[in-house]
Amino acid sequence: MTLEAEYSPDADRIMSVSLGPQHPGAGHFRIKLWLDGDYVVRSEPDAGYVHRGEEKMSEYRNYIQNVPHLERPVILDSSNILFAYALGVDELMNNKVPQRAQYLRVIMSEANRIISHMYFLAIQGLFLGHTTMITWCMGDRDFWIDLAERIGGARVTFAYIIPGGVRNDIPPSAIEKGLNTCDWFDKRMDEYEKIFFRNPMVHQRSDGIGVLSREDAIAYGATGTVARASGVSVDVRKDEPYSAYEDFEFKTPVMTQGDVYARAYVALLDMRESVKIIRQALKKLPQGPVRLKLGPQPRVPAGEVYSRTEAARGEMSYYIISDGSPRPYRLKIGVPSAKNLRVLPLLLRNVHVADIPPIYWGLNYWPVEADR
Amino acid sequence: MAAQLTAKFPEVKVDWMKERRLKVSTSAMHVKEVGLFARSTLGFDHISTVSGVDWIAKNELEVVYFVGSTTPGQEDFILAISERIARDNPVVPTMVEVWKGAEYHERETHEMFGINFQGHPDQSHLFLPEDWNELPPLRKDYVSPGR
Amino acid sequence: MVVAQQQKSGAFQVLVGKIDDVLQYAIGDPMRYLANWGRLYSLWPVHLETACCSVEIGAAAGSRFDMERFGALEAFGSLRQCDLLIVMGTVTRKLAPRLKLVYDQMAEPKWVIAMGACSITGGLYFDSYNVLRGIDDIIPVDVYVPGCPPRAEAFLQGLVLLQEKIRRAPSLSGR
């Protein structure tokens, strides 16, 4: 018997609770909950606490000025959100991006995927009551940040991938450091598997919690780790190889359980593939220039483009309309978190209150990204 | 794909944005039929995003649905279904019954452009503050206060 | 006659004032120092994330930078027990009333760190329709930490500056 059949949301015993925006389990975000005792009867996400109007701002700035503010929404994954933008603008301007720049874009994008997934696993560990995971992942994440900092020059906001190539060349010392980091991280991921993913306590807390079926994942337009954990093999890197992704060997990890555990485990498998790609790219890095000379205010021919990449959280897409002026006429950012948001009220039904944080964070939902 | 669409709906206009990116322009009257056909017959089952565009010079608003596919062999294909309506009374049918995932995207388009989606379950503000009483911000005649 | 009385009471007030000063230095000052010393190494931050700077707070609280070394714990849920509000970045029109509400619910003494360019002036988002140009209009700020986002080290320096401010607080109430 389902709870929903028995109670209607307006019965006397139903209590409505607001989770967030000031709450350790839901930062920048509010979930309106209707509870019956310890069970969630209904829920409604309340987003928009970080809505900064990026799309309107883009119409006031030219294509180069748009680079720094566009990476802020996805600060954990800043290279991937710029990657799709750069692809779109390159396509509009017919830029032939040099091969070395393509490889550097891939390296930075994959390093960012690892940085983002590490943050995801750290907080998921915290929400599942596994304190080792947050201390390990937060600490190890900084080694990847060190590598990205050596290439891009900042801790989180690199502004590295720009239209026409990348901002600067990779320093020679970063190649060796990158290969070392890859070797060390392979061993480290085995340890995560031992302490977290094979931990019976973690299994008990996350197996069968927040199950999303394959049909629902497709119907509600889920993407990224959420879709892949539910058995939908969507990966833009495979489906529509952009940049230099055709040159590398990697797989798309897919699981079928569709629960909180699978969503975390898919992130770990994703990182294994990312390490493989980074290693191949660093070894095969071609010589040549890394950037086209575009000038400070490039003219972009009129036209429209829909570009997409696989970011850490899923499919990142841009719809750019240019009317021939230096500024975009319309710039729509299709972010993966906004695509996964519709899944949340679907999953937060007939679950315990204690399971809300792992389900919420398991969607790899980043409110800043969804609100833009 | 394009031939299939024009054979079924003679009034739609198809053009290629590039290879594997098909843009289908239709009217608000037929958009739902086109959507149902695209989902069930052509296999475009995975909604990607919904965007609005304000063509102020032509006094028109445009809604574009970007739909991908999980059908093997056409994962790289993106279908863009577009419809244009007058700016004064922008009412279009909702596509929530076709793609359930379109719900929040349409809600966002409603608050950002003031387009009414007929039959939509909930069109309250998603991202804007509850007390927003100015023009929809992404319309071209709304000027940001800092500018 | 009146003048003499005034002079007399004036002298009395001076005497009382002198005794008061002596007492304040002898008793009040050690108490003030002790109370503020107790406060400065047990700062409890509120868990209110406002925007993307929270990632660097996560890093600062993580195992590499370890905020607890400086006597500030990880972000905490209950407002009544918190005395430090870190505004992590952009404050939007929707969040502003909630931020004020959170600040009002905290018990005195309380301090505010404005982290990131957005919470100081609006930063990159100066021309956005939904962003406040700095949080000074809503709540008083003690320490500004510039950067977009500030590095974890920069945030820790801001924390140490705040502790210095609490140490030198002129009154027993900590303000």
Side-chain angles (χ1 to χ4, degrees):
Chain A
M1 180 175 58
T2 62
L3 277 158
E4 248 185 313
E6 202 179 345
Y7 310 115
S8 68
D10 42 31
D12 280 351
R13 50 186 295 171
I14 304 297
M15 183 170 66
S16 66
V17 175
S18 167
L19 185 82
Q22 187 272 315
H23 189 276
H28 342 69
F29 188 63
R30 185 162 77 116
I31 311 172
K32 287 183 241 171
L33 297 166
W34 283 265
L35 304 179
D36 178 11
D38 194 33
Y39 279 95
V40 181
V41 181
R42 193 161 80 89
S43 65
E44 206 182 297
D46 179 21
Y49 290 96
V50 212
H51 175 65
R52 301 188 278 201
E54 300 268 350
E55 290 172 12
K56 186 76 179 176
M57 284 169 61
S58 309
E59 294 170 12
Y60 290 120
R61 288 160 168 76
N62 73 33
Y63 286 91
I64 299 297
Q65 286 171 333
N66 269 330
V67 167
H69 82 87
L70 278 180
E71 68 176 349
R72 256 65 186 180
V74 201
I75 199 157
L76 292 167
D77 195 14
S78 52
S79 287
N80 276 317
I81 191 169
L82 283 181
F83 204 162
Y85 174 71
L87 280 183
V89 178
D90 285 343
E91 195 183 318
L92 276 173
M93 294 174 67
N94 268 324
N95 286 343
K96 292 272 170 293
V97 179
Q99 194 65 9
R100 188 176 171 89
Q102 304 275 26
Y103 270 60
L104 289 176
R105 281 178 172 188
V106 168
I107 290 169
M108 206 57 177
S109 153
E110 295 301 322
N112 253 273
R113 193 185 312 280
I114 293 174
I115 290 169
S116 172
H117 278 333
M118 291 292 274
Y119 193 84
F120 164 64
L121 286 178
I123 306 290
Q124 189 63 287
L126 186 73
F127 283 169
L128 289 173
H130 197 283
T131 321
T132 313
M133 205 58 184
I134 182 170
T135 47
W136 279 17
C137 285
M138 277 293 182
D140 294 350
R141 178 174 162 265
D142 264 276
F143 287 93
W144 283 103
I145 289 183
D146 279 351
L147 175 66
E149 192 178 357
R150 199 171 283 198
I151 302 172
R155 258 181 70 85
V156 277
T157 47
F158 311 106
Y160 188 65
I161 299 177
I162 54 170
V166 295
R167 197 160 41 78
N168 54 282
D169 205 348
I170 185 171
S173 63
I175 295 177
E176 198 196 332
K177 183 181 165 65
L179 289 171
N180 288 343
T181 312
C182 284
D183 292 342
W184 160 82
F185 196 61
D186 265 340
K187 284 179 222 144
R188 202 67 187 138
M189 278 191 291
D190 294 339
E191 288 177 39
Y192 294 156
E193 228 168 276
K194 270 184 220 158
I195 201 162
F196 187 72
F197 290 101
R198 285 188 218 149
N199 190 328
M201 187 200 79
V202 172
H203 270 290
Q204 280 179 358
R205 281 285 269 124
S206 60
D207 272 352
I209 304 290
V211 178
L212 179 71
S213 68
R214 186 174 191 277
E215 290 72 37
D216 281 348
I218 295 174
Y220 286 94
T223 174
T225 46
V226 180
R228 289 202 288 274
S230 294
V232 190
S233 172
V234 283
D235 186 347
V236 185
R237 293 174 295 174
K238 278 282 182 207
D239 298 341
E240 188 187 342
Y242 51 93
S243 196
Y245 274 107
E246 263 176 322
D247 301 359
F248 307 121
E249 258 181 53
F250 64 99
K251 291 195 293 280
T252 301
V254 178
M255 292 182 80
T256 49
Q257 292 96 309
D259 54 5
V260 170
Y261 181 84
R263 273 172 229 138
Y265 197 63
V266 160
L268 183 89
L269 296 177
D270 256 5
M271 291 201 295
R272 287 198 187 277
E273 301 303 318
S274 294
V275 170
K276 264 190 225 167
I277 297 174
I278 293 175
R279 196 179 281 132
Q280 291 173 49
L282 283 173
K283 282 183 181 156
K284 294 200 286 191
L285 193 63
Q287 293 301 318
V290 294
R291 180 157 62 140
L292 300 175
K293 290 260 179 293
L294 289 184
Q297 186 145 316
R299 291 270 157 187
V300 176
E304 55 182 340
V305 68
Y306 185 80
S307 63
R308 54 182 192 149
T309 57
E310 183 72 21
R313 296 186 174 80
E315 181 204 32
M316 180 76 72
S317 56
Y318 275 85
Y319 178 46
I320 308 172
I321 299 180
S322 163
D323 58 352
S325 72
R327 290 188 277 272
Y329 185 78
R330 168 89 173 102
L331 189 143
K332 161 87 188 173
I333 321 168
V335 284
S337 289
K339 292 168 188 173
N340 287 335
L341 176 60
R342 184 60 189 86
V343 177
L344 186 69
L346 195 73
L347 296 186
L348 285 186
R349 254 183 358 203
N350 301 339
V351 294
H352 287 288
V353 171
D355 291 335
I356 297 170
I359 293 176
Y360 159 71
W361 190 257
L363 292 179
N364 212 339
Y365 177 74
W366 181 242
V368 191
E369 174 187 287
D371 296 355
R372 278 154 285 156
Chain B
M1 196 82 67
Q4 247 177 314
L5 270 163
T6 41
K8 174 94 182 167
F9 305 99
E11 71 284 344
V12 304
K13 200 171 126 277
V14 275
D15 49 340
W16 295 88
M17 287 159 78
K18 70 164 196 180
E19 207 188 329
R20 311 295 275 176
R21 293 268 194 285
L22 185 65
K23 185 165 181 181
V24 183
S25 308
T26 177
S27 63
M29 255 165 70
H30 298 104
V31 65
K32 209 159 180 174
E33 296 158 32
V34 175
L36 279 169
F37 179 73
R39 192 199 65 187
S40 46
T41 312
L42 303 179
F44 288 96
D45 48 1
H46 196 247
I47 181 92
S48 179
T49 190
V50 179
S51 172
V53 189
D54 184 7
W55 298 101
I56 193 163
K58 294 177 190 157
N59 201 25
E60 278 178 332
L61 285 171
E62 187 182 7
V63 185
V64 196
Y65 293 82
F66 291 96
V67 202
S69 171
T70 55
T71 316
Q74 61 180 42
E75 290 111 331
D76 57 339
F77 209 108
I78 293 280
L79 189 70
I81 300 174
S82 126
E83 53 187 318
R84 290 198 181 205
I85 17 126
R87 246 169 135 261
D88 327 315
N89 184 25
V91 182
V92 296
T94 176
M95 297 280 249
V96 172
E97 288 112 78
V98 186
W99 298 287
K100 287 179 194 162
E103 187 184 335
Y104 282 12
H105 297 304
E106 282 185 351
R107 215 170 133 185
E108 186 196 334
T109 314
H110 166 73
E111 63 178 353
M112 295 296 169
F113 289 92
I115 297 167
N116 263 313
F117 290 89
Q118 225 164 24
H120 193 279
D122 175 18
Q123 292 203 59
S124 57
H125 280 332
L126 184 64
F127 294 139
L128 289 179
E130 300 91 336
D131 56 347
W132 183 268
N133 52 11
E134 294 162 53
L135 276 174
L138 282 181
R139 287 216 182 173
K140 286 279 174 188
D141 46 357
Y142 176 81
V143 181
S144 238
R147 288 277 167 181
Chain C
M1 184 72 186
V2 180
V3 175
Q5 263 184 352
Q6 271 181 353
Q7 276 173 347
K8 203 176 163 188
S9 73
F12 179 68
Q13 274 171 6
V14 168
L15 183 68
V16 169
K18 286 238 157 103
I19 294 170
D20 192 42
D21 277 0
V22 169
L23 281 175
Q24 202 171 357
Y25 282 123
I27 306 164
D29 216 46
M31 284 292 287
R32 172 183 71 85
Y33 183 80
L34 196 68
N36 288 333
W37 174 81
R39 281 173 187 132
L40 75 107
Y41 292 124
S42 60
L43 291 168
W44 289 71
V46 176
H47 196 286
L48 177 74
E49 296 162 341
T50 60
C52 38
C53 286
S54 58
V55 170
E56 286 301 85
I57 290 281
S63 40
R64 186 181 190 181
F65 296 103
D66 194 11
M67 207 157 88
E68 277 188 45
R69 288 183 293 165
F70 298 96
L73 293 160
E74 250 177 64
F76 188 68
S78 169
L79 290 176
R80 302 289 182 192
Q81 297 171 33
C82 291
D83 50 8
L84 173 61
L85 176 61
I86 307 165
V87 182
M88 310 173 195
T90 325
V91 176
T92 59
R93 271 168 65 169
K94 190 169 180 178
L95 190 75
R98 273 87 170 179
L99 181 70
K100 181 83 174 71
L101 191 67
V102 164
Y103 181 76
D104 289 344
Q105 283 181 46
M106 289 162 63
E108 286 281 355
K110 51 194 171 186
W111 298 276
V112 178
I113 294 182
M115 182 180 181
C118 295
S119 59
I120 300 173
T121 62
L124 271 173
Y125 299 92
F126 67 95
D127 62 342
S128 167
Y129 51 83
N130 205 27
V131 170
L132 264 69
R133 282 155 201 82
I135 55 163
D136 307 85
D137 296 345
I138 326 172
I139 51 176
V141 180
D142 292 290
V143 175
Y144 297 91
V145 182
C148 189
R151 296 174 64 96
E153 297 97 314
F155 168 69
L156 291 177
Q157 197 206 0
L159 195 71
V160 172
L161 279 175
L162 178 70
Q163 288 175 334
E164 195 57 40
K165 182 175 177 173
I166 298 172
R167 195 200 305 276
R168 292 182 189 171
S171 75
L172 194 64
S173 67
R175 298 292 312 176

